[in-house]
Amino acid sequence: MKKNIASLLLILCLCVSCSSLGFVTSRSLQNNIQKGMTPQEVSLAMKGGPDYRRFEDGREQWEYRRYNTNNERIIILINFYDGHVVGLDSFPDIESNRQDIQTHRLK
């Protein structure tokens, strides 16, 4: 009985420590992005700047690559116009996920 309680307390401590380290899912990050946000607000919401950036004629696109809870890579595209969010898209990074699967098969 004491071992069960000790194990339960250890699991609880681990869960709390993971949440305090800022473990977040790509979906929870995306849900923080709202139309009209500035690039600075997006950087704060996404916990950092983009992995890739494209821009032309007042339009800008930020690309983030994150992992979801299934350890699959997700691409998040955030579109700006005149310094404000006008759109967001996200989808699985099929090529990266396929390479990860092939790498695991080689082991």
Side-chain angles (χ1 to χ4, degrees), residues 91-102:
F91 47 90
D93 183 356
I94 305 234
E95 280 302 312
S96 175
N97 294 333
R98 188 175 303 137
Q99 284 178 336
D100 290 344
I101 290 169
Q102 290 173 351

Side-chain angles (χ1 to χ4, degrees), residues 11 17 19 27 33 44-46 49-50 52 57 66 70 77 90 106-107:
I11 291 170
S17 66
S19 66
R27 182 167 305 278
I33 306 302
L44 285 172
M46 293 296 290
Y52 301 97
D57 297 329
R66 299 289 188 261
N70 296 329
L77 300 175
S90 65
L106 294 175
K107 292 181 179 178

Side-chain angles (χ1 to χ4, degrees), residues 5-62:
I5 292 173
S7 296
L8 183 61
L9 286 174
L10 179 62
I11 291 170
L12 181 62
C13 287
L14 287 172
C15 290
V16 169
S17 66
C18 284
S19 66
S20 67
L21 289 174
F23 177 77
V24 291
T25 65
S26 59
R27 182 167 305 278
S28 67
L29 290 174
Q30 292 175 68
N31 289 339
N32 291 332
I33 306 302
Q34 302 296 321
K35 215 174 210 182
M37 290 176 82
T38 66
Q40 293 81 10
E41 292 170 323
V42 170
S43 288
L44 285 172
M46 293 296 290
K47 313 257 187 247
D51 297 310
Y52 301 97
R53 184 175 167 236
R54 294 173 276 287
F55 58 90
E56 181 180 344
D57 297 329
R59 293 173 301 197
E60 188 168 353
Q61 185 177 71
W62 287 10

